[in-house]
């Protein structure tokens, strides 16, 4: 009991410190015209000197807060009905495909030519750098109310294709490393198809009737519980079969976009999404090695600007 009490007290202290720092420094950052994302990152950097005393394992905090990204993609999916997603198919595969292939190939050739690294390693580096952080870009677009603009929609379609492109890129890695055995056989892809088919079936014939059943109880807090259960459950299922949890949450949101409880779902998830996203960005700042930046400022800043 004493151990549980001590763990609970430490967790409470961590929550107080993070919330206190966020509500003080993020509004200050906004006052000086700094984006909210950068404000959260700065909070993480400011907390870095005290991290060892506050948090036993910052990496665990980052993994937990990644559910904020998952919830963000779910909420975006709720606003994008399947018919609208189908209408964007050309932008997703043409624009997104061009971005990934062109950027990845150019970076791969640059790394191979200038750094004299073998082609297989250059491929991994080039296509890794061709991918973007969905959480950062979508949060910035949402914050500036640009997600519904032309460039906002195009950026979203590219990000969506990048999430899809991760699947074949991961499948190629074992061959590039020279490993003969790999797990990406027909059974693996059959599992993926089965999961997506199951999601389509469940969204129509299980989840929606269940929402009606829960809503009939008039216990509004249970709608929040059901929404979190569905998002976290699908995310874990995607993680189990080796796919992006954020992509799974997005597809679930799209499948529920024309549900009569879409607005209730969005309102239930929104507070958790905002807090967990803030915690995610603070965790990134917390894990940033600021000493490395001071020791090699020209290399790091120059490489970032070049990219």
């Amino acid at each position: 009991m004493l151990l549980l009490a001590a763990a609970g007290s430490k967790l409470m202290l961590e929550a107080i410190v993070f919330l206190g720092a966020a509500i003080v420094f993020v509004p200050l950052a906004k006052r000086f015209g700094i984006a909210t994302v950068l404000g959260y990152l700065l909070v993480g950097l400011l907390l870095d000197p005290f991290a060892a005393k506050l948090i036993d394992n910052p990496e665990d905090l980052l993994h937990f807060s990644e559910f904020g990204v998952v919830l963000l993609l779910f909420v975006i999916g709720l606003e994008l009905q399947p018919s609208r997603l189908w209408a964007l198919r050309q932008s997703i595969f043409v624009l997104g495909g061009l971005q990934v292939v062109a950027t990845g190939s150019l970076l791969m050739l640059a790394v191979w030519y200038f750094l004299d690294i073998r082609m297989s390693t250059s491929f991994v580096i080039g296509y890794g750098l061709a991918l973007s952080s969905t959480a950062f870009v979508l949060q910035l677009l949402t914050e500036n109310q640009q997600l519904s603009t032309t460039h906002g929609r195009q950026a979203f379609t590219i990000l969506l294709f990048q999430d899809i492109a991760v699947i074949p890129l991961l499948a190629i890695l074992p061959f590039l490393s020279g490993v003969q055995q790999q797990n990406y056989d027909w059974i693996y892809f059959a599992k993926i198809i089965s999961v997506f088919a199951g999601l389509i079936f469940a969204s129509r014939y299980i989840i929606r009737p269940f929402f009606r059943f829960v809503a009939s109880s008039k216990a509004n807090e249970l709608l929040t519980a059901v929404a979190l259960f569905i998002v976290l459950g699908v995310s874990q299922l995607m993680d189990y079969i080796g796919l992006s949890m954020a992509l799974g949450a997005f597809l679930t949101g799209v499948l529920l976009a024309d549900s009569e409880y879409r607005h209730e779902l969005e309102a239930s998830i929104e507070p958790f999404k905002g807090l967990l996203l803030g915690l995610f960005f603070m965790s990134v700042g917390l894990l940033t090695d600021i000493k490395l930046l001071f020791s090699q400022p020209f290399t790091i800043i120059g490489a970032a600007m070049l990219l």
Side-chain angles (χ1 to χ4, degrees), residues 51-67:
K53 296 179 182 178
L54 283 174
I55 304 167
D56 296 326
N57 194 344
E59 285 81 5
D60 290 342
L61 181 66
L62 178 64
H63 293 320
F64 170 74
S65 61
E66 282 175 353
F67 279 110

Side-chain angles (χ1 to χ4, degrees), residues 184-240:
Y184 299 98
D185 51 15
W186 68 270
I187 297 176
Y188 171 76
F189 289 104
K191 286 181 182 178
I192 294 177
I193 295 171
S194 300
V195 167
F196 284 128
L199 283 176
I200 295 171
F201 176 83
S203 68
R204 287 284 177 185
Y205 302 108
I206 298 176
I207 295 176
R208 295 183 192 194
F210 188 66
F211 265 118
R212 297 188 191 99
F213 170 73
V214 173
S216 66
S217 69
K218 305 298 183 182
N220 294 329
E221 69 277 5
L222 289 180
L223 284 175
T224 303
V226 173
L228 288 172
F229 174 79
I230 292 169
V231 176
L232 297 180
V234 171
S235 300
Q236 286 300 307
L237 180 61
M238 289 291 175
D239 188 52
Y240 174 73

Side-chain angles (χ1 to χ4, degrees), residues 56-94:
D56 296 326
N57 194 344
E59 285 81 5
D60 290 342
L61 181 66
L62 178 64
H63 293 320
F64 170 74
S65 61
E66 282 175 353
F67 279 110
V69 183
V70 170
L71 296 177
L72 171 66
L73 267 293
F74 177 71
V75 170
I76 290 173
L78 282 175
E79 298 172 355
L80 195 66
Q81 293 179 340
S83 57
R84 288 183 61 198
L85 184 63
W86 179 251
L88 291 172
R89 66 190 184 281
Q90 189 171 1
S91 295
I92 293 171
F93 290 100
V94 176

Side-chain angles (χ1 to χ4, degrees), residues 13-77:
L13 178 62
E14 291 175 10
I16 291 170
V17 171
F18 274 99
L19 289 172
I23 62 178
V24 171
F25 290 106
V26 174
L28 278 176
K30 288 288 289 182
R31 182 68 62 89
F32 289 100
I34 300 174
T36 304
V37 172
L38 291 178
Y40 282 121
L41 288 172
L42 289 173
V43 170
L45 289 171
L46 290 172
L47 292 176
D48 183 57
F50 314 101
K53 296 179 182 178
L54 283 174
I55 304 167
D56 296 326
N57 194 344
E59 285 81 5
D60 290 342
L61 181 66
L62 178 64
H63 293 320
F64 170 74
S65 61
E66 282 175 353
F67 279 110
V69 183
V70 170
L71 296 177
L72 171 66
L73 267 293
F74 177 71
V75 170
I76 290 173

